[in-house]
Amino acid sequence: MNDDQVPTDAFLAGLSPGIRKQAEKLRAIVKRAEPDAVERVRLGWGLIGYDVPVGRRLVYFAWVWPEPEHVHIGFQAGTLIADADRRMRGAHLKLKKVRYLTFEPGDPIPTRELIELTREAAQISAMPRQARLALALDRELDRDSGPPR
């Protein structure tokens, strides 16, 4: 069975109720932020991936990744997303592009903030490569010229 044939509900069925509930909340946020996003289970990665339509093609931009102890929501171009509070993780792992947030069962999920992050992730992923490079340079300049940390 390939990834396209695995229903998301079946993928989530084997998870603990707390993890499944958090994953469902995150899925709802992605769909609310980007109603045209295409949701697909990616068994090889063990996650639910989201593609945004750009012209005649689909561009991978986000994921919900349930694990036994917590659930991540992540963004493929996460380093380009404005994250003034530095809530997103991934830099500590030296991930070059992706960033994510992690939620354990029962953790509050900041819906409004995640909708904004998801929309920004989709917009950035849909940009032409040159525009993403320009944004990356702008972000780097902002970091270099900002106040000392």
Side-chain angles (χ1 to χ4, degrees):
M1 182 179 289
N2 67 31
D3 291 356
D4 291 333
Q5 298 173 331
V6 177
T8 307
D9 292 338
F11 174 72
L12 296 173
L15 302 173
S16 70
I19 295 295
R20 187 171 49 250
K21 184 176 181 181
Q22 293 293 65
E24 292 290 357
K25 287 179 184 178
L26 295 172
R27 287 178 64 209
I29 286 169
V30 174
K31 291 304 280 183
R32 183 171 165 196
E34 285 298 319
D36 293 332
V38 176
E39 179 182 80
R40 184 167 56 102
V41 171
R42 289 171 164 136
L43 284 178
W45 293 340
L47 55 76
I48 303 163
Y50 295 90
D51 298 292
V52 63
V54 178
R56 299 172 96 181
R57 61 189 178 97
L58 295 173
V59 177
Y60 183 62
F61 80 99
W63 69 88
V64 172
W65 181 13
E67 295 190 281
E69 66 279 359
H70 51 241
V71 181
H72 308 285
I73 183 169
F75 307 104
Q76 186 65 21
T79 56
L80 300 178
I81 295 173
D83 183 25
D85 297 334
R86 296 195 179 273
R87 291 196 57 210
M88 290 194 289
R89 302 185 66 204
H92 69 293
L93 298 173
K94 298 190 182 351
L95 299 175
K96 291 183 180 181
K97 296 190 313 184
V98 303
R99 292 294 180 265
Y100 61 91
L101 292 130
T102 302
F103 300 95
E104 294 184 8
D107 282 351
I109 293 181
T111 301
R112 188 174 312 142
E113 176 186 358
L114 291 180
I115 288 172
E116 290 173 16
L117 290 173
T118 303
R119 285 181 179 152
E120 187 174 356
Q123 290 169 352
I124 290 169
S125 294
M127 289 177 173
R129 184 174 187 272
Q130 296 82 359
R132 286 194 312 275
L133 288 172
L135 181 59
L137 289 172
D138 284 347
R139 296 271 196 250
E140 190 64 34
L141 286 173
D142 288 345
R143 278 192 286 272
D144 290 346
S145 65
R149 293 179 206 163

